[in-house]
Amino acid sequence: MESAHYFSAQPAGPSTRKPLTVDLVGATRHLQTSSGIFSPDGIDKGTAVLLSEVPPPSPRGNLLDIGCGWGPVALTMGLMAPSAQVHAVDVNERCIALTNENAASLGLTNVKASRPEEVPADVEFSTIWSNPPIRIGKDELHSLLLTWLPRLAPGGNAWLVVQKNLGSDSLQRWLAAELDSTFTVTRESTSKSFRILRVRKASL
């Protein structure tokens, strides 16, 4: 599948729904997926590394999943932090619909997927998790990250999974240079050719 296909608001071709069975937060979940989205057949390797390597999200406040796909990250956050509000953003309308439907099927009233511009501008995030869309291109990726990472709440953490051969080390250096002095950027771990990067906002 061409990368541009699932980065479009309205992907080309018909939306073909099908059932998806995955393990999330220690249990088997029966969900829905679709054609024209990222990793429609299950949890991709990068997201699997993210979910297995990072600490639990903040138990309260606002949490964010950047690029939600059919919802594995947002649903995991919602299951792990039932008292928090999970915002899931994507430009792909199929992803937004799927994540909302999958959240509803799991009874997760604390998960809401939407287009990025629909998230209120004054919302700050205690935790951000993302397998960012590296293949959209460097300029678009940088713009995306600089839209959301500065919205970390004081003391908040963002966890990003990036494949080593797709520029994880250069992205770490770039983030450290671009974000202001209230942020620290570190490489927390390496697993299966992926790096886990942590962006922390200093506490007040």
Side-chain angles (χ1 to χ4, degrees), residues 87-128:
H87 301 262
V89 295
D90 208 295
V91 298
N92 186 322
E93 292 177 355
R94 293 181 194 175
C95 294
I96 295 168
L98 281 167
T99 297
N100 283 327
E101 290 173 24
N102 286 332
S105 75
L106 297 178
L108 294 174
T109 59
N110 62 330
V111 175
K112 180 182 179 181
S114 66
R115 294 181 59 79
E117 62 270 19
E118 294 172 340
V119 179
D122 60 346
V123 173
E124 294 184 323
F125 303 100
S126 302
T127 304
I128 297 174

Side-chain angles (χ1 to χ4, degrees), residues 21-31 43 47-48 50-52 54-57 70-82 86 106 108 110-111 129:
T21 300
V22 294
D23 289 329
L24 292 176
V25 195
T28 300
R29 317 287 178 172
H30 300 286
L31 306 172
I43 300 175
T47 298
L50 179 76
L51 296 178
S52 67
V54 301
W70 54 262
V73 170
L75 299 175
T76 298
M77 290 176 126
L79 290 163
M80 296 181 74
V86 181
L106 297 178
L108 294 174
N110 62 330
V111 175
W129 286 359

